[in-house]
Amino acid sequence: MPIPTLTFAQLQMAKQKHPIYNLQFGLVCMSSLLFSASFNMLIPELPAYLSSLGGAEYKGLIVALFTLTAGISRPFSGRLTDTVGRVPVMAFGSIVCFVCGFLYPVLGSVAGFLFLRLIHGFSTGFKPTATAAYVADIAPPERWGEAMGIHGLCFSTGLAIGPAIGSYIGMHYSLDILFYCSSAFALLSILILMNMKETLPSKQKFRPSLLKISRHDIIAIEALPAGIVTFMSYAGYGAILTLIPDWTAHLGIANKGMFFMVFTLASLLIRFIAGKASDRHGRTRVIIIGLGILLISLIVIGYAATPAGLMVGAGIYGVASGILSPAINAWTIDMSHPDHRGKAVATMYIALEAGIGLGALFAGWYYADVIARVPAVMYSCAAVVAICLVYMLVKFRKA
């Protein structure tokens, strides 16, 4: 159920009547920044680390296993978000990051590493689901796009500084120190959550029976359009997470986190504007523009033969991500039922994890440590985005 498009005057009145910049909003944004930095600072160094353990052929599983458990846990996190509360579910996600950071140095084998990647995925299966519902609770409907944009800006800041910090620590210290720093960031995220007020009006105490879900608890049918767009637009991200560290090194860039920093910084610059634009002009229009830019970015990344070319592709990809993320999140909330907001958000995130996971699996399988195959993977992901763009254009015409 889309919200009506607002005029500029109406938006200005809404800002005065319903402010979103308050302590609770600031806390949830800071917690998300630290959380995203915690798990993403590991990404640039994990492919080489797995190779050092003797598991180079399993690079595709670094992201795929992570997203597998994230996707599987979404129906549970959505149900718990709507029953136990937003804050406990957010806290659980951060706790998983905290624990896994300490266990990576302990389980120093290929099997142990892959097992931890599987467990680590529960973190993003829980925290972002509850966080999106929390932001929707404290922001007025007419400003959901703006609120999602600002929160996404903070989350993306963590995604940007995480790889840069992780790569720096990997180059100058040890990977054990990197894993412990990841835990430290997660701990700070947990401490912030302890000061946040619960927004679910009638929360329940946790009991094992809440983990029993039926097929009706898995997918929110009303949010499926957002899920389709999310799935198809994030397949390329799975390929990027898997291949870009090696592609970056091949092109002569020493800091493997540089690509992620550039694309995330570009995303930061556009998120605030894009979120407000989706409030004013509608989600569908903004999503179509974002998909078009995403298509171009994947082609540029695949075609890049120099460090400068790759960074240009990273910047374009960041702009596309910054446009799409707040618009899709707000679109999901628009279509959700107020009592099942967690399930709707979980549906969107299930699609996100499926897209990332399948994209990573395909990329790792086809790539097989043959660097010349990277462009073909990127062009294939661009073709998937083109199909998604056609889907949205048809939907926009019918709307």
Side-chain angles (χ1 to χ4, degrees):
M1 184 178 64
I3 62 173
T5 301
L6 300 177
T7 65
F8 180 76
Q10 289 173 322
L11 281 172
Q12 294 301 111
M13 292 178 62
K15 288 181 180 181
Q16 297 174 5
K17 187 177 180 181
H18 302 291
I20 61 174
Y21 303 106
N22 51 44
L23 177 61
Q24 294 306 304
F25 186 73
L27 289 174
V28 73
C29 287
M30 181 56 66
S31 177
S32 290
L33 186 155
L34 293 166
F35 171 77
S36 62
S38 170
F39 71 82
N40 215 46
M41 68 170 56
L42 303 179
I43 291 297
E45 301 302 321
L46 290 185
Y49 177 67
L50 183 57
S51 294
S52 71
L53 296 177
E57 66 271 27
Y58 301 113
K59 285 183 180 179
L61 295 179
I62 292 175
V63 176
L65 290 176
F66 188 92
T67 57
L68 174 64
T69 44
I72 291 174
S73 63
R74 296 291 183 187
F76 300 97
S77 65
R79 180 173 173 80
L80 293 175
T81 294
D82 290 333
T83 52
V84 175
R86 321 311 196 191
V87 175
V89 175
M90 287 191 285
F92 179 79
S94 292
I95 289 170
V96 171
C97 271
F98 172 73
V99 173
C100 285
F102 276 102
L103 291 181
Y104 277 112
V106 177
L107 301 181
S109 65
V110 173
F113 173 84
L114 295 178
F115 171 74
L116 277 179
R117 290 306 291 169
L118 197 66
I119 300 301
H120 207 160
F122 283 109
S123 63
T124 59
F126 277 79
K127 192 174 191 304
T129 302
T131 299
Y134 190 93
V135 171
D137 289 344
I138 62 178
E142 67 272 11
R143 299 184 69 188
W144 276 338
E146 180 182 353
M148 295 295 176
I150 295 297
H151 172 264
L153 188 151
C154 295
F155 190 89
S156 294
T157 298
L159 295 179
I161 65 174
I165 293 173
S167 189
Y168 178 85
I169 295 173
M171 288 190 296
H172 295 88
Y173 298 96
S174 69
L175 289 182
D176 285 357
I177 296 297
L178 172 59
F179 293 134
Y180 297 145
C181 286
S182 173
S183 280
F185 274 63
L187 177 60
L188 291 174
S189 176
I190 297 168
L191 293 176
I192 289 174
L193 291 171
M194 293 173 63
N195 295 301
M196 290 171 54
K197 299 177 181 178
E198 179 57 56
T199 58
L200 186 66
S202 54
K203 61 179 182 178
Q204 306 175 27
K205 289 185 178 180
F206 174 78
R207 58 184 186 277
S209 61
L210 291 176
L211 296 177
K212 296 179 180 179
I213 60 173
S214 67
R215 59 187 179 88
H216 302 293
D217 297 317
I218 298 175
I219 298 293
I221 301 299
E222 64 273 15
L224 273 180
I228 292 171
V229 174
T230 300
F231 173 81
M232 301 183 79
S233 62
Y234 273 89
Y237 189 55
I240 283 173
L241 289 174
T242 303
L243 303 184
I244 284 300
D246 286 358
W247 190 233
T248 298
H250 171 72
L251 294 179
I253 303 174
N255 190 320
K256 296 176 184 177
M258 187 61 66
F259 177 96
F260 299 99
M261 184 172 67
V262 170
F263 107 72
T264 311
L265 288 175
S267 173
L268 295 180
L269 297 176
I270 198 69
R271 278 180 182 270
F272 179 67
I273 299 173
K276 295 175 72 173
S278 75
D279 286 334
R280 186 175 181 184
H281 302 293
R283 320 299 187 202
T284 310
R285 287 185 179 91
V286 173
I287 290 171
I288 288 173
I289 294 172
L291 288 173
I293 298 174
L294 182 65
L295 174 62
I296 295 171
S297 72
L298 290 168
I299 294 173
V300 172
I301 292 169
Y303 188 75
T306 65
L310 183 60
M311 292 303 105
V312 169
I316 300 173
Y317 188 87
V319 170
S321 176
I323 291 173
L324 286 170
S325 182
I328 293 176
N329 275 274
W331 194 30
T332 303
I333 298 297
D334 291 346
M335 293 184 285
S336 68
H337 188 282
D339 294 333
H340 302 290
R341 192 166 284 161
K343 182 168 73 170
V345 173
T347 298
M348 186 268 293
Y349 276 118
I350 289 172
L352 182 147
E353 305 297 354
I356 294 176
L358 290 176
L361 273 178
F362 166 75
W365 166 77
Y366 183 75
Y367 169 53
D369 268 354
V370 179
I371 202 69
R373 294 179 178 177
V374 171
V377 175
M378 295 301 158
Y379 299 149
S380 298
C381 294
V384 173
V385 174
I387 295 171
C388 184
L389 182 58
V390 171
Y391 166 77
M392 284 302 295
L393 287 170
V394 171
K395 187 172 185 62
F396 178 69
R397 187 173 299 173
K398 290 181 178 179

